[in-house]
Amino acid sequence: MVVVITGASKGIGAELARQLSAKGAKLVLAARHEPDLATVADECRQAGATGVITVRCDVSVEHDCQTLVTGALLAFGRLDVLVNNAGATMWARFEDIEDVEVLARIMQVNYMGAVYCTRHALPHLRASGGLVVGISSLAGKVGVPTRTGYSASKHAMTGFFDSLRIELGGSGVDVTMIFPGFVSTGIRENATGPDGKPILVSPVKEGEVMKVEDCAARIVKAIERREREVVMTARGKMGLWLRLLAPGLVDRIARRAVEKAGSPQGQD
Ligand SMILES: NC(=O)c1ccc[n+]([C@@H]2O[C@H](COP(=O)([O-])OP(=O)(O)OC[C@H]3O[C@@H](n4cnc5c(N)ncnc54)[C@H](OP(=O)(O)O)[C@@H]3O)[C@@H](O)[C@H]2O)c1
């Protein structure tokens, strides 16, 4: 099985790569920082991957995404799974944001990055009867204060992949959407604050949220079963049902979770 993972240099993407290695996958690891990718590639080889290449790729640039897919084909001759995982977040109230360009950048990486990679991978996924995976977020299902641009980008992913799934019906290509809550990675330290710079200190008690190993293990299972979607926490699942009956209550819960940042039950 040949798997392309974007955002594989750290966090969920890197752990997913390590866990898929143990199952003997061939991996194409993509991100912008090549030294980090090289480290993850070594770990994957040690963990049992039957082939690993790294590709420097900024998913916000369509040509990079095209080169990524070409690289996978040249190295392994086929493509079975594309995991659209690369992403960036923010932590600022909309009215406090100094330069609204921040929202455009997040949209370009989280949403258009997934669109570009999927566009170039699809002919090859059709040939293999493959799978497209989108790593969204609970914020791709519900609104979250301080995450306007992020939540919009993840909702965009959800709408795009839900629509694409229908278009691909009968093609042999499946679409799997993943909706994690907070997972302990460096994403929040790098979150863009109101001044456009990384906030550097995570507002969340990272030791109390889902471990990256558990998140990646659930994604591996979803890939193996070609599941339609995975809402990762019980509280997330309950919130989606509750939202149908009492949307205002769910808004209040989201507000409270962010106000007392550090709540392990939050949505990113
Ligand atoms: N952690 C959470 O709480 C959480 C919750 C829900 C959903 N998610 C989603 O899960 C995915 C992975 O997040 P994470 O927590 O693992 O974050 P992370 O540790 O910050 O890793 C993000 C990855 O994305 C890559 N990336 C960022 N911008 C990129 C770009 N323009 N082009 C290519 N790669 C880029 C980074 O690599 P380079 O910097 O080397 O490019 C890195 O490998 C994201 O889509 C995120 O929204 C995370």
Side-chain angles (χ1 to χ4, degrees):
M1 178 171 69
V2 178
V3 186
V4 172
I5 305 175
T6 66
S9 62
K10 52 195 173 211
I12 296 169
E15 180 57 24
L16 182 62
R18 288 186 287 266
Q19 293 194 16
L20 287 170
S21 299
K23 296 186 176 279
K26 293 183 169 61
L27 296 168
V28 181
L29 308 178
R32 292 165 305 171
H33 296 109
E34 289 176 301
D36 290 349
L37 278 179
T39 304
V40 177
D42 283 344
E43 291 166 352
C44 289
R45 288 183 192 104
Q46 282 163 26
T50 51
V52 186
I53 64 161
T54 63
V55 180
R56 200 215 66 80
C57 169
D58 180 340
V59 294
S60 69
V61 178
E62 182 173 6
H63 184 256
D64 280 14
C65 301
Q66 187 172 16
T67 304
L68 168 62
V69 172
T70 307
L73 266 290
L74 282 174
F76 299 121
R78 61 182 289 138
L79 174 52
D80 297 290
V81 183
L82 166 68
V83 183
N84 291 292
N85 167 75
T89 192
M90 59 183 286
W91 201 290
R93 286 176 53 80
F94 180 63
E95 288 168 294
D96 295 338
I97 293 170
E98 289 171 18
D99 183 352
V100 78
E101 183 57 28
V102 167
L103 271 66
R105 174 72 192 157
I106 288 176
M107 187 64 89
Q108 185 67 18
V109 173
N110 294 2
Y111 171 57
M112 287 309 296
V115 170
Y116 294 147
C117 290
T118 302
R119 170 177 153 82
H120 291 286
L122 257 181
H124 311 290
L125 293 171
R126 272 187 178 270
S128 65
L131 180 70
V132 190
V133 181
I135 309 296
S136 181
S137 163
L138 289 180
K141 291 269 196 192
V142 298
V144 182
T146 72
R147 240 62 61 75
T148 47
Y150 178 77
S151 182
S153 72
K154 294 298 187 179
H155 273 76
M157 276 183 85
T158 306
F160 173 79
F161 282 115
D162 279 351
S163 305
L164 185 67
R165 181 187 294 113
I166 303 169
E167 289 186 10
L168 291 174
S171 71
V173 181
D174 289 318
V175 175
T176 295
M177 286 300 288
I178 308 287
F179 299 93
F182 281 145
V183 181
S184 185
T185 68
I187 194 167
R188 277 165 292 277
E189 291 163 25
N190 293 319
T192 306
D195 58 0
K197 297 185 182 129
I199 59 172
L200 296 177
V201 177
S202 170
V204 166
K205 289 176 186 155
E206 297 288 345
E208 295 182 10
V209 301
M210 180 182 270
K211 290 194 180 72
V212 70
E213 293 84 357
D214 296 338
C215 176
R218 187 64 188 88
I219 298 171
V220 170
K221 199 192 278 184
I223 290 173
E224 287 173 342
R225 295 177 178 171
R226 296 171 81 99
E227 287 176 64
R228 178 188 173 97
E229 69 171 39
V230 176
V231 175
M232 233 169 231
T233 64
R235 195 174 156 118
K237 286 188 192 110
M238 212 175 65
L240 295 182
W241 280 107
L242 189 58
R243 193 161 176 254
L244 298 174
L245 303 169
L249 176 60
V250 175
D251 288 356
R252 284 197 293 282
I253 292 169
R255 183 185 301 125
R256 220 173 33 236
V258 168
E259 277 170 359
K260 56 181 251 240
S263 159
Q265 310 296 355
Q267 297 138 353
D268 199 10

